[in-house]
Structure formats: structure tokens, C-alpha cells
């Protein structure tokens, strides 16, 4: 019976196509952003940490990597996390989004989603790992030296405590897709 089960597993997984993101050409780690989530923030109001003009360093990193703009097929989020610096957990936060858009925009929108995570309410975690979005940010990062970055936090209920935190995030360029 075990042999039959093992053969079934091998057959199923051998027939599944592999997902290939191409080659990771380079990463850019952006400077840490420290902020404080205030107590008394109602659940219907978002809290936004914005950097209206942030240097991308994308062209410099592209030049240093030895690749050209034509080699870059996709630019997207690689990893992002929010870390509690003061020891409180994020149980009062329901959703977190990291958005990146043109500096000409007054606000980034849901279309500009680089990372997100939801259904966080009630979880007693001091680190929130965000998930990369599906959008290709190639034109955004190749087309401008500066972008607007917004971290949008949605409370679960009224926040009861101040939380000192920091955002850490990395973008990657991929080729050969």
C-alpha cells in the first residue's frame, strides 16, 4: 500500500509544471522607515505613512549590475515586513498595504499595490510579513528616479496603544521570463 501511495505522489508531482520567474537580476533594499501607530485610531480610518518623494536608486543599481533596461522584464516586491520596536503586538491591525506610485500622484491607490496582507485582526504577532502583489512595476521604477511610497494600515477596531514600528522592504528585478 505504501509503495502504491508513493507512486501516486511521484506521478502527481512529476506531472505538475514548474513555475519559473526567470532570473533574478538584482535586488534593492530600501531604507528602513520608522513610524508610530497612534492610539485612538478608529477602525473605519486608515493610517498612512507616506514618503511623497523617495529616490528609487533603480537606474544606479541597474548600471552597477551590468544589465540593461531591455534585460528587465519584471520589477516586483521581493520581501517586506513591519516590525514592532516597542514590544507591542499588531493584534489591533486588520490589513497592511505597501503602495508605490508616481510622485505626481497625490495618493497611491489599490492599483499601486506592491505588498499586502489582511485578516490580521486578533493575531498577537510582533512582526507582520507582507505578501508581494501581482503588478509589474517595471515602468514605475524604470521610468522615474523618484516614486511616492505609502504604507497603509487599517485597524481592526479602535487602537488602544501607541506602537513604535519600522518598515523594511526589498524590490527585485527579473529577466528572461
Amino acid at each position: 500500500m505504501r509503495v502504491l501511495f508513493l507512486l501516486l505522489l511521484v506521478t502527481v508531482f512529476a506531472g505538475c509544471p514548474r513555475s519559473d520567474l526567470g532570473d533574478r537580476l538584482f535586488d534593492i533594499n530600501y531604507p528602513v522607515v520608522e513610524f508610530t501607530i497612534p492610539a485612538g485610531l478608529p477602525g473605519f480610518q486608515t493610517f498612512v505613512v507616506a514618503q511623497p518623494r523617495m529616490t528609487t536608486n533603480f537606474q544606479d543599481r541597474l548600471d552597477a549590475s551590468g544589465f540593461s533596461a531591455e534585460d528587465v522584464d519584471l520589477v516586483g516586491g521581493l520581501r517586506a515586513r513591519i516590525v514592532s520596536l516597542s514590544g507591542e503586538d499588531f493584534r489591533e491591525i486588520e490589513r497592511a498595504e505597501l503602495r508605490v506610485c508616481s510622485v505626481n500622484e497625490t495618493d497611491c491607490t489599490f492599483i499601486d499595490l506592491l505588498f499586502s496582507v489582511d485578516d490580521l485582526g486578533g493575531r498577537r504577532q510582533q512582526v507582520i510579513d507582507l505578501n508581494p502583489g501581482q503588478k509589474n512595476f517595471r515602468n514605475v521604477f524604470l521610468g522615474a528616479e523618484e516614486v511616492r511610497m505609502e504604507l497603509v494600515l487599517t485597524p481592526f477596531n479602535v487602537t488602544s496603544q501607541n506602537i513604535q514600528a519600522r518598515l523594511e522592504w526589498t524590490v527585485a528585478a527579473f529577466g528572461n521570463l
Side-chain angles (χ1 to χ4, degrees), residues 101-112:
C101 61
S102 167
V103 294
N104 299 328
E105 302 291 327
T106 55
D107 293 312
C108 297
T109 66
F110 68 91
I111 295 170
D112 307 310

Side-chain angles (χ1 to χ4, degrees), residues 145-165:
E145 292 182 20
E146 293 182 320
V147 292
R148 177 180 181 83
M149 184 279 298
E150 294 178 357
L151 176 64
V152 181
L153 301 171
T154 305
F156 184 65
N157 263 328
V158 177
T159 56
S160 64
Q161 58 190 354
N162 290 334
I163 303 174
Q164 294 175 321

Side-chain angles (χ1 to χ4, degrees), residues 23-153:
D23 300 325
R24 194 160 94 198
L25 306 178
F26 58 88
D27 305 343
I28 301 176
N29 294 316
Y30 286 98
V32 169
V33 177
E34 293 190 3
F35 58 95
T36 301
I37 303 168
L41 189 64
F44 59 84
Q45 181 180 348
T46 58
F47 176 71
V48 180
V49 177
Q51 290 191 339
R53 299 187 88 74
M54 188 188 93
T55 304
T56 65
N57 296 319
F58 195 84
Q59 190 61 50
D60 292 339
R61 185 67 179 100
L62 179 63
D63 294 341
S65 72
F67 295 103
S68 69
E70 291 78 32
D71 295 323
V72 178
D73 296 321
L74 172 74
V75 176
L78 185 61
R79 61 186 155 265
R81 69 184 191 161
I82 303 168
V83 179
S84 173
L85 299 175
S86 50
E88 291 87 6
D89 59 50
F90 294 105
R91 70 177 171 263
E92 296 176 334
I93 302 300
E94 176 64 23
R95 182 170 176 80
E97 297 177 349
L98 180 62
R99 302 172 180 179
V100 175
C101 61
S102 167
V103 294
N104 299 328
E105 302 291 327
T106 55
D107 293 312
C108 297
T109 66
F110 68 91
I111 295 170
D112 307 310
L113 201 63
L114 184 61
F115 293 96
S116 69
V117 65
D118 56 8
D119 294 328
L120 294 172
R123 295 185 189 175
R124 296 180 177 267
Q125 55 195 36
Q126 292 181 343
V127 176
I128 299 173
D129 292 315
L130 286 84
N131 303 312
Q134 298 295 315
K135 180 178 177 179
N136 186 347
F137 284 83
R138 181 184 187 279
N139 293 336
V140 174
F141 282 89
L142 276 174
E145 292 182 20
E146 293 182 320
V147 292
R148 177 180 181 83
M149 184 279 298
E150 294 178 357
L151 176 64
V152 181
L153 301 171

